[in-house]
Amino acid sequence: MAKPAKKLVIVTEKVLLKKIAKIIDESGATGYTVVETGGKGSRNVRSSGQPIVSDTQANVKFEILTPDRDMAEDIADQVAVKFFLDYAGMIYICDAEVLYGHSFCGPDGC
Amino acid sequence: MDFWSFFVMDFVKQLQSPTLAFLIGGMVIAALGSELVIPESICAIIVFMLLTKIGLTGGIAIRNSNLADMVLPMICAVVVGITVVFIARYTLAKLPKVKVVDAIATGGLFGAVSGSTMAAGLTVLEEQKISYEAWAGALYPFMDIPALVTAIVVANIYLNKKKHRAAAKATKQEYLSKQPIAAGDYADKQDYPSSRQEYLSQQQAPADNRVKIWPIIEESLRGPALSAMLLGLALGIFTQPESVYKSFYDPLFRGLLSILMLVMGMEAWSRIGELRKVAQWYVVYSVVAPFIHGLLAFGLGMIAHYTMNFSMGGVVILAVIAASSSDISGPPTLRAGIPSANPSAYIGASTAIGTPIAIGLCIPFFVGLAQAIGGL
């Protein structure tokens, strides 16, 4: 059986990686996935493929599965309030159904 | 007259030296739209190798030298790092269309040190057979950290003052604007937050306004450039790394530096576009500032030269690291420390103009100056 969940996606600057990871950990989420990304948005093209000497210009994308909407919104609010006035960022939420995931579903599976 | 002939000769020599040639080459191919990409991980390993080598050189030298000789040059480095930020605060920040926080961040970045420029400077001195204290590279952190800390502290003090002033003004206005309004007239809108984010940030208690200095120092020490360099320094002082130094770090140094210079050239060209979006005054500042900062350090270095017998080569290195602006460890620290400053302004000014000027013009300029004064 699939377990319903919310998928929270945060796309933001790489400099914030550790700080956002800390917020997610403290919110009680079981885990998260981070990928390096590039793309185009209101703050122009931000790529990760260029020969960049400093890492400040790269972007990362967090994906977090949460059991309910409240936890997702709590994370989103904290991140937005702390960082998004000064840093580039975008947060959205999707419905998800988890099929397999030991840590998320529990020892017996979903 | 002597000085100018030395400078021109050094400059022409520099043009043919791999350091500057690769930098210009990188700019040219980037301008022509080349698709050459040097992977980021290679840049990271090059930066690590260069700074570890400089650290090891310094560490080995410190082991065999008198610590007392280092005190005055270190004080000079700290003074220059701090002064540079205040120079930016009271010149660049006063110019039209320049935001004060952006100016302070730019000052911090120009006060911080570029490992690649320092490596290029050391290479030039070696090529010209000018002797210098081998530990001079160890002055790096003494200029880098004070500059970044000063910039972040000054910027936060400024921002807090501004916030308090705005808050005081807002309460006054609120008091004045609460006049009775005619029924049905909804034009006089209250300042309701327009978005959820704004609302939530208003709900937050005013954050504690003191700037904490230790986390900034910690962050710059942990940055890739400084930690590589300090590791090298420690290994040089406490262990006997001579064999690996001679067989690996020293022979590869120049080749790797040339690749890094190529990357810096490409990077500089791609940042020029960003710099166009901010005020033109950044261009003026980033051309003039490396010379002023370098001359300041040169002057202080001369005091050390006359009192403590600091070599002229060492004075040149001090001037070169003062002229350089950080491009590896500085930007992330500033981005985290002064989030409201516009990175296009400070990274653009430093990488697109500051670094090429420091490597191409300032190194021959200070070598020439030292030759004219010190008769090297």
Side-chain angles (χ1 to χ4, degrees):
Chain A
M1 249 229 1
K3 182 178 172 181
K6 295 285 173 193
K7 181 174 96 169
L8 183 71
V9 180
I10 306 174
V11 184
T12 188
E13 297 182 26
K14 195 177 175 183
V15 268
L16 299 179
L17 188 100
K18 281 186 188 164
K19 292 175 184 165
I20 291 180
K22 197 169 162 234
I23 292 177
I24 297 171
D25 280 336
E26 282 167 1
S27 73
T30 49
Y32 53 86
T33 308
V34 192
V35 280
E36 285 212 25
T37 55
K40 184 174 181 296
S42 59
R43 303 203 186 197
N44 297 321
V45 177
R46 303 175 64 89
S47 65
S48 55
Q50 290 286 319
I52 290 170
V53 179
S54 75
D55 240 1
T56 25
Q57 297 283 313
N59 274 8
V60 287
K61 180 166 115 176
F62 278 89
E63 286 192 7
I64 309 124
L65 282 174
T66 59
D68 52 50
R69 198 183 165 94
D70 287 346
M71 189 194 279
E73 277 189 8
D74 175 47
I75 297 171
D77 288 342
Q78 285 191 52
V79 171
V81 166
K82 272 196 191 142
F83 305 118
F84 282 6
L85 288 176
D86 294 320
Y87 296 92
M90 154 81 75
I91 303 182
Y92 55 88
I93 189 166
C94 319
D95 285 322
E97 288 180 56
V98 182
L99 294 179
Y100 299 102
H102 190 81
S103 62
F104 192 80
C105 304
D108 301 328
C110 292
Chain B
M1 248 353 258
D2 261 5
F3 162 67
W4 286 109
S5 60
F6 279 130
F7 170 64
V8 171
M9 258 166 52
D10 285 328
F11 181 67
V12 173
K13 243 187 247 169
Q14 263 284 76
L15 273 180
Q16 291 170 341
S17 81
T19 319
L20 192 58
F22 273 84
L23 185 83
I24 294 172
M27 287 172 112
V28 170
I29 60 168
L32 294 175
S34 156
E35 298 198 353
L36 175 68
V37 172
I38 311 274
E40 236 176 299
S41 45
I42 295 200
C43 294
I45 197 84
I46 291 178
V47 169
F48 163 76
M49 289 245 342
L50 295 186
L51 289 164
T52 311
K53 190 256 176 187
I54 294 174
L56 283 173
T57 318
I60 295 170
I62 289 173
R63 189 163 17 111
N64 307 321
S65 70
N66 184 2
L67 278 182
D69 292 343
M70 298 178 64
V71 176
L72 196 57
M74 275 175 187
I75 295 172
C76 294
V78 173
V79 170
V80 172
I82 294 173
T83 315
V84 163
V85 177
F86 286 99
I87 293 177
R89 173 72 183 84
Y90 292 106
T91 57
L92 182 62
K94 304 277 181 204
L95 294 168
K97 285 192 195 164
V98 174
K99 273 172 61 192
V100 177
V101 268
D102 291 355
I104 298 171
T106 312
L109 209 55
F110 274 78
V113 177
S114 151
S116 48
T117 310
M118 179 168 76
L122 294 176
T123 314
V124 170
L125 288 184
E126 273 163 27
E127 270 166 9
Q128 308 218 4
K129 309 238 167 0
I130 298 174
S131 64
Y132 61 92
E133 284 84 358
W135 49 260
L139 295 173
Y140 181 139
F142 293 93
M143 194 180 294
D144 198 69
I145 297 176
L148 291 173
V149 170
T150 313
I152 293 173
V153 170
V154 169
N156 281 302
I157 290 172
Y158 167 78
L159 288 172
N160 281 337
K161 264 193 202 153
K162 203 173 142 194
K163 214 195 291 166
H164 283 304
R165 232 179 293 141
K169 209 173 154 196
T171 28
K172 203 170 158 195
Q173 268 188 351
E174 207 174 309
Y175 172 74
L176 289 172
S177 67
K178 288 219 168 124
Q179 311 251 333
I181 40 164
D185 180 7
Y186 296 107
D188 183 20
K189 266 203 236 151
Q190 292 281 342
D191 287 337
Y192 290 118
S194 58
S195 70
R196 182 179 158 82
Q197 188 185 340
E198 219 170 284
Y199 170 73
L200 285 165
S201 58
Q202 282 175 10
Q203 296 299 303
Q204 278 209 327
D208 123 52
N209 285 334
R210 301 270 315 270
V211 188
K212 295 191 190 79
I213 291 177
W214 181 243
I216 310 170
I217 298 179
E218 221 175 25
E219 195 173 332
S220 28
L221 286 176
R222 279 185 191 150
L226 263 183
S227 44
M229 153 116 198
L230 292 174
L231 174 71
L233 204 59
L235 290 176
I237 295 174
F238 298 115
T239 65
Q240 308 268 336
E242 277 85 351
S243 58
V244 70
Y245 176 83
K246 277 196 196 103
S247 62
F248 183 66
Y249 288 95
D250 200 32
L252 287 181
F253 186 73
R254 289 182 191 201
L256 292 177
L257 182 63
S258 69
I259 301 176
L260 187 65
M261 285 297 133
L262 188 74
V263 175
M264 304 291 283
M266 289 158 66
E267 182 84 0
W269 189 265
S270 65
R271 290 266 180 259
I272 284 182
E274 265 181 59
L275 197 56
R276 263 189 229 125
K277 289 182 222 150
V278 294
Q280 315 298 325
W281 286 110
Y282 286 99
V283 179
V284 179
Y285 174 81
S286 41
V287 171
V288 177
F291 285 99
I292 293 178
H293 302 161
L295 283 172
L296 176 70
F298 198 92
L300 290 174
M302 287 309 285
I303 298 175
H305 174 66
Y306 287 123
T307 54
M308 304 286 294
N309 244 341
F310 189 42
S311 72
M312 281 310 280
V315 176
V316 173
I317 293 170
L318 191 66
V320 167
I321 60 176
S324 73
S325 49
S326 178
D327 31 43
I328 297 155
S329 55
T333 312
L334 283 175
R335 187 78 182 104
I338 320 175
S340 52
N342 178 3
S344 289
Y346 56 86
I347 300 179
S350 160
T351 313
I353 303 178
T355 300
I357 293 273
I359 296 173
L361 295 177
C362 290
I363 294 176
F365 178 81
F366 291 116
V367 171
L369 197 61
Q371 283 170 331
I373 294 176
L376 286 169

